[in-house]
mmCIF file of all heavy atoms in Angstrom:
data_model
loop_
_atom_site.group_PDB
_atom_site.id
_atom_site.type_symbol
_atom_site.label_atom_id
_atom_site.label_comp_id
_atom_site.label_asym_id
_atom_site.label_seq_id
_atom_site.Cartn_x
_atom_site.Cartn_y
_atom_site.Cartn_z
ATOM 1 N N ALA A 1 8.665 0.837 15.697
ATOM 2 C CA ALA A 1 9.364 2.119 15.839
ATOM 3 C C ALA A 1 10.013 2.525 14.515
ATOM 4 O O ALA A 1 9.989 3.705 14.130
ATOM 5 C CB ALA A 1 10.408 2.028 16.951
ATOM 6 N N ASN A 2 10.599 1.551 13.819
ATOM 7 C CA ASN A 2 11.178 1.846 12.499
ATOM 8 C C ASN A 2 10.107 2.337 11.531
ATOM 9 O O ASN A 2 10.309 3.304 10.784
ATOM 10 C CB ASN A 2 11.846 0.600 11.916
ATOM 11 C CG ASN A 2 13.150 0.243 12.580
ATOM 12 O OD1 ASN A 2 13.804 1.091 13.172
ATOM 13 N ND2 ASN A 2 13.531 -1.022 12.488
ATOM 14 N N ILE A 3 8.966 1.640 11.530
ATOM 15 C CA ILE A 3 7.883 1.996 10.605
ATOM 16 C C ILE A 3 7.400 3.419 10.866
ATOM 17 O O ILE A 3 7.243 4.223 9.940
ATOM 18 C CB ILE A 3 6.733 0.978 10.733
ATOM 19 C CG1 ILE A 3 7.184 -0.385 10.185
ATOM 20 C CG2 ILE A 3 5.485 1.468 9.994
ATOM 21 C CD1 ILE A 3 6.276 -1.541 10.562
ATOM 22 N N ARG A 4 7.201 3.759 12.119
ATOM 23 C CA ARG A 4 6.716 5.105 12.457
ATOM 24 C C ARG A 4 7.758 6.170 12.104
ATOM 25 O O ARG A 4 7.401 7.266 11.653
ATOM 26 C CB ARG A 4 6.364 5.181 13.940
ATOM 27 C CG ARG A 4 5.173 4.305 14.329
ATOM 28 C CD ARG A 4 4.751 4.557 15.762
ATOM 29 N NE ARG A 4 4.296 5.938 15.935
ATOM 30 C CZ ARG A 4 4.015 6.482 17.114
ATOM 31 N NH1 ARG A 4 4.162 5.767 18.229
ATOM 32 N NH2 ARG A 4 3.605 7.729 17.204
ATOM 33 N N ARG A 5 9.030 5.845 12.301
ATOM 34 C CA ARG A 5 10.090 6.812 12.010
ATOM 35 C C ARG A 5 10.268 7.059 10.517
ATOM 36 O O ARG A 5 10.535 8.178 10.086
ATOM 37 C CB ARG A 5 11.415 6.309 12.617
ATOM 38 C CG ARG A 5 12.629 7.157 12.258
ATOM 39 C CD ARG A 5 13.848 6.732 13.033
ATOM 40 N NE ARG A 5 14.356 5.433 12.674
ATOM 41 C CZ ARG A 5 15.272 5.226 11.719
ATOM 42 N NH1 ARG A 5 15.761 6.231 11.014
ATOM 43 N NH2 ARG A 5 15.695 3.991 11.475
ATOM 44 N N LEU A 6 10.084 6.009 9.720
ATOM 45 C CA LEU A 6 10.451 6.084 8.306
ATOM 46 C C LEU A 6 9.276 6.336 7.368
ATOM 47 O O LEU A 6 9.489 6.735 6.216
ATOM 48 C CB LEU A 6 11.137 4.767 7.895
ATOM 49 C CG LEU A 6 12.414 4.392 8.648
ATOM 50 C CD1 LEU A 6 12.832 2.974 8.299
ATOM 51 C CD2 LEU A 6 13.537 5.370 8.326
ATOM 52 N N ARG A 7 8.045 6.102 7.825
ATOM 53 C CA ARG A 7 6.936 6.063 6.871
ATOM 54 C C ARG A 7 6.649 7.401 6.203
ATOM 55 O O ARG A 7 6.244 7.430 5.032
ATOM 56 C CB ARG A 7 5.687 5.513 7.553
ATOM 57 C CG ARG A 7 5.134 6.345 8.702
ATOM 58 C CD ARG A 7 4.024 5.590 9.410
ATOM 59 N NE ARG A 7 3.536 6.329 10.584
ATOM 60 C CZ ARG A 7 2.683 5.823 11.468
ATOM 61 N NH1 ARG A 7 2.239 4.580 11.332
ATOM 62 N NH2 ARG A 7 2.275 6.556 12.503
ATOM 63 N N GLY A 8 6.855 8.511 6.886
ATOM 64 C CA GLY A 8 6.563 9.808 6.287
ATOM 65 C C GLY A 8 7.429 10.087 5.075
ATOM 66 O O GLY A 8 6.934 10.371 3.975
ATOM 67 N N ALA A 9 8.746 9.979 5.258
ATOM 68 C CA ALA A 9 9.672 10.257 4.151
ATOM 69 C C ALA A 9 9.535 9.219 3.043
ATOM 70 O O ALA A 9 9.619 9.549 1.856
ATOM 71 C CB ALA A 9 11.102 10.300 4.672
ATOM 72 N N CYS A 10 9.317 7.966 3.418
ATOM 73 C CA CYS A 10 9.205 6.912 2.403
ATOM 74 C C CYS A 10 7.923 7.076 1.575
ATOM 75 O O CYS A 10 7.923 6.785 0.374
ATOM 76 C CB CYS A 10 9.236 5.532 3.056
ATOM 77 S SG CYS A 10 10.879 5.024 3.628
ATOM 78 N N PHE A 11 6.864 7.562 2.194
ATOM 79 C CA PHE A 11 5.615 7.696 1.440
ATOM 80 C C PHE A 11 5.730 8.758 0.350
ATOM 81 O O PHE A 11 5.135 8.626 -0.726
ATOM 82 C CB PHE A 11 4.454 8.031 2.376
ATOM 83 C CG PHE A 11 3.118 7.956 1.698
ATOM 84 C CD1 PHE A 11 2.544 6.727 1.406
ATOM 85 C CD2 PHE A 11 2.440 9.108 1.329
ATOM 86 C CE1 PHE A 11 1.318 6.647 0.759
ATOM 87 C CE2 PHE A 11 1.211 9.038 0.682
ATOM 88 C CZ PHE A 11 0.649 7.811 0.399
ATOM 89 N N THR A 12 6.497 9.789 0.602
ATOM 90 C CA THR A 12 6.648 10.861 -0.388
ATOM 91 C C THR A 12 7.782 10.613 -1.368
ATOM 92 O O THR A 12 7.977 11.398 -2.298
ATOM 93 C CB THR A 12 6.887 12.206 0.322
ATOM 94 O OG1 THR A 12 8.059 12.111 1.144
ATOM 95 C CG2 THR A 12 5.694 12.584 1.180
ATOM 96 N N ASP A 13 8.520 9.520 -1.176
ATOM 97 C CA ASP A 13 9.630 9.168 -2.070
ATOM 98 C C ASP A 13 9.063 8.392 -3.260
ATOM 99 O O ASP A 13 8.562 7.272 -3.110
ATOM 100 C CB ASP A 13 10.651 8.320 -1.299
ATOM 101 C CG ASP A 13 11.897 7.996 -2.096
ATOM 102 O OD1 ASP A 13 11.882 8.161 -3.338
ATOM 103 O OD2 ASP A 13 12.890 7.553 -1.480
ATOM 104 N N ARG A 14 9.159 8.945 -4.441
ATOM 105 C CA ARG A 14 8.551 8.316 -5.616
ATOM 106 C C ARG A 14 9.209 6.988 -5.975
ATOM 107 O O ARG A 14 8.629 6.176 -6.702
ATOM 108 C CB ARG A 14 8.625 9.258 -6.823
ATOM 109 C CG ARG A 14 10.032 9.611 -7.260
ATOM 110 C CD ARG A 14 10.046 10.574 -8.437
ATOM 111 N NE ARG A 14 11.395 10.935 -8.826
ATOM 112 C CZ ARG A 14 12.159 10.200 -9.608
ATOM 113 N NH1 ARG A 14 11.706 9.042 -10.066
ATOM 114 N NH2 ARG A 14 13.387 10.589 -9.919
ATOM 115 N N ARG A 15 10.411 6.731 -5.481
ATOM 116 C CA ARG A 15 11.106 5.478 -5.815
ATOM 117 C C ARG A 15 10.674 4.309 -4.929
ATOM 118 O O ARG A 15 10.936 3.152 -5.252
ATOM 119 C CB ARG A 15 12.621 5.658 -5.703
ATOM 120 C CG ARG A 15 13.238 6.609 -6.722
ATOM 121 C CD ARG A 15 14.755 6.523 -6.637
ATOM 122 N NE ARG A 15 15.415 7.373 -7.615
ATOM 123 C CZ ARG A 15 15.846 8.605 -7.375
ATOM 124 N NH1 ARG A 15 15.655 9.139 -6.173
ATOM 125 N NH2 ARG A 15 16.446 9.311 -8.305
ATOM 126 N N VAL A 16 10.055 4.598 -3.797
ATOM 127 C CA VAL A 16 9.638 3.523 -2.885
ATOM 128 C C VAL A 16 8.541 2.709 -3.564
ATOM 129 O O VAL A 16 7.583 3.260 -4.113
ATOM 130 C CB VAL A 16 9.154 4.099 -1.549
ATOM 131 C CG1 VAL A 16 8.514 3.017 -0.683
ATOM 132 C CG2 VAL A 16 10.317 4.765 -0.811
ATOM 133 N N ARG A 17 8.667 1.396 -3.490
ATOM 134 C CA ARG A 17 7.740 0.541 -4.218
ATOM 135 C C ARG A 17 6.331 0.596 -3.627
ATOM 136 O O ARG A 17 6.146 0.874 -2.432
ATOM 137 C CB ARG A 17 8.257 -0.895 -4.276
ATOM 138 C CG ARG A 17 8.472 -1.569 -2.944
ATOM 139 C CD ARG A 17 9.063 -2.949 -3.153
ATOM 140 N NE ARG A 17 9.187 -3.666 -1.881
ATOM 141 C CZ ARG A 17 9.357 -4.963 -1.795
ATOM 142 N NH1 ARG A 17 9.432 -5.704 -2.889
ATOM 143 N NH2 ARG A 17 9.469 -5.550 -0.628
ATOM 144 N N LEU A 18 5.348 0.312 -4.487
ATOM 145 C CA LEU A 18 3.940 0.438 -4.118
ATOM 146 C C LEU A 18 3.593 -0.417 -2.903
ATOM 147 O O LEU A 18 2.806 -0.008 -2.040
ATOM 148 C CB LEU A 18 3.070 0.049 -5.317
ATOM 149 C CG LEU A 18 1.553 0.093 -5.092
ATOM 150 C CD1 LEU A 18 1.092 1.500 -4.729
ATOM 151 C CD2 LEU A 18 0.828 -0.418 -6.329
ATOM 152 N N LYS A 19 4.161 -1.613 -2.815
ATOM 153 C CA LYS A 19 3.872 -2.512 -1.698
ATOM 154 C C LYS A 19 4.176 -1.839 -0.358
ATOM 155 O O LYS A 19 3.411 -1.953 0.603
ATOM 156 C CB LYS A 19 4.692 -3.789 -1.859
ATOM 157 C CG LYS A 19 4.431 -4.852 -0.818
ATOM 158 C CD LYS A 19 5.259 -6.096 -1.120
ATOM 159 C CE LYS A 19 5.016 -7.182 -0.094
ATOM 160 N NZ LYS A 19 5.839 -8.400 -0.387
ATOM 161 N N ASN A 20 5.300 -1.135 -0.290
ATOM 162 C CA ASN A 20 5.657 -0.433 0.938
ATOM 163 C C ASN A 20 4.690 0.717 1.213
ATOM 164 O O ASN A 20 4.327 0.983 2.364
ATOM 165 C CB ASN A 20 7.086 0.108 0.852
ATOM 166 C CG ASN A 20 8.120 -0.944 1.205
ATOM 167 O OD1 ASN A 20 7.780 -2.055 1.572
ATOM 168 N ND2 ASN A 20 9.385 -0.597 1.072
ATOM 169 N N LYS A 21 4.272 1.415 0.160
ATOM 170 C CA LYS A 21 3.376 2.548 0.360
ATOM 171 C C LYS A 21 1.998 2.089 0.851
ATOM 172 O O LYS A 21 1.365 2.756 1.677
ATOM 173 C CB LYS A 21 3.270 3.365 -0.920
ATOM 174 C CG LYS A 21 4.581 4.069 -1.260
ATOM 175 C CD LYS A 21 4.442 5.144 -2.294
ATOM 176 C CE LYS A 21 5.762 5.873 -2.470
ATOM 177 N NZ LYS A 21 5.680 7.011 -3.412
ATOM 178 N N LEU A 22 1.541 0.953 0.368
ATOM 179 C CA LEU A 22 0.284 0.405 0.878
ATOM 180 C C LEU A 22 0.426 0.023 2.351
ATOM 181 O O LEU A 22 -0.489 0.227 3.152
ATOM 182 C CB LEU A 22 -0.131 -0.805 0.050
ATOM 183 C CG LEU A 22 -0.538 -0.519 -1.407
ATOM 184 C CD1 LEU A 22 -0.793 -1.816 -2.152
ATOM 185 C CD2 LEU A 22 -1.758 0.393 -1.456
ATOM 186 N N GLY A 23 1.586 -0.535 2.705
ATOM 187 C CA GLY A 23 1.842 -0.860 4.107
ATOM 188 C C GLY A 23 1.864 0.389 4.971
ATOM 189 O O GLY A 23 1.357 0.383 6.103
ATOM 190 N N ILE A 24 2.429 1.477 4.438
ATOM 191 C CA ILE A 24 2.463 2.737 5.180
ATOM 192 C C ILE A 24 1.046 3.229 5.455
ATOM 193 O O ILE A 24 0.714 3.620 6.580
ATOM 194 C CB ILE A 24 3.265 3.790 4.397
ATOM 195 C CG1 ILE A 24 4.757 3.430 4.400
ATOM 196 C CG2 ILE A 24 3.061 5.175 5.004
ATOM 197 C CD1 ILE A 24 5.597 4.259 3.453
ATOM 198 N N LEU A 25 0.206 3.207 4.433
ATOM 199 C CA LEU A 25 -1.172 3.669 4.607
ATOM 200 C C LEU A 25 -1.890 2.840 5.671
ATOM 201 O O LEU A 25 -2.608 3.380 6.528
ATOM 202 C CB LEU A 25 -1.922 3.600 3.277
ATOM 203 C CG LEU A 25 -1.513 4.635 2.215
ATOM 204 C CD1 LEU A 25 -2.226 4.356 0.906
ATOM 205 C CD2 LEU A 25 -1.819 6.052 2.702
ATOM 206 N N ALA A 26 -1.690 1.531 5.621
ATOM 207 C CA ALA A 26 -2.334 0.662 6.610
ATOM 208 C C ALA A 26 -1.789 0.921 8.006
ATOM 209 O O ALA A 26 -2.521 0.856 9.002
ATOM 210 C CB ALA A 26 -2.147 -0.798 6.221
ATOM 211 N N SER A 27 -0.514 1.238 8.099
ATOM 212 C CA SER A 27 0.093 1.463 9.414
ATOM 213 C C SER A 27 -0.467 2.705 10.098
ATOM 214 O O SER A 27 -0.429 2.811 11.331
ATOM 215 C CB SER A 27 1.617 1.580 9.275
ATOM 216 O OG SER A 27 2.006 2.845 8.748
ATOM 217 N N LEU A 28 -0.979 3.638 9.322
ATOM 218 C CA LEU A 28 -1.546 4.862 9.893
ATOM 219 C C LEU A 28 -2.798 4.560 10.719
ATOM 220 O O LEU A 28 -3.225 5.393 11.534
ATOM 221 C CB LEU A 28 -1.870 5.864 8.782
ATOM 222 C CG LEU A 28 -0.658 6.401 8.012
ATOM 223 C CD1 LEU A 28 -1.118 7.264 6.840
ATOM 224 C CD2 LEU A 28 0.279 7.185 8.932
ATOM 225 N N LEU A 29 -3.386 3.395 10.510
ATOM 226 C CA LEU A 29 -4.562 2.981 11.272
ATOM 227 C C LEU A 29 -4.197 2.408 12.646
ATOM 228 O O LEU A 29 -5.085 2.076 13.439
ATOM 229 C CB LEU A 29 -5.359 1.941 10.479
ATOM 230 C CG LEU A 29 -5.855 2.392 9.104
ATOM 231 C CD1 LEU A 29 -6.493 1.218 8.358
ATOM 232 C CD2 LEU A 29 -6.834 3.555 9.240
#
């Protein structure tokens, strides 16, 4: 639930580290 709630804003945040952004992309599956 946290991942789904936060992933949109975190993906567009340039400060969020790459590891998290890769996790976000995978979570969309």
Side-chain angles (χ1 to χ4, degrees):
N2 287 337
I3 291 166
R4 294 188 63 188
R5 174 172 68 90
L6 300 170
R7 63 188 176 188
C10 286
F11 190 75
T12 58
D13 185 344
R14 62 181 178 83
R15 293 189 178 95
V16 171
R17 60 183 184 163
L18 179 61
K19 184 177 180 180
N20 277 357
K21 292 195 175 184
L22 292 174
I24 290 169
L25 289 174
S27 76
L28 295 174
L29 301 174

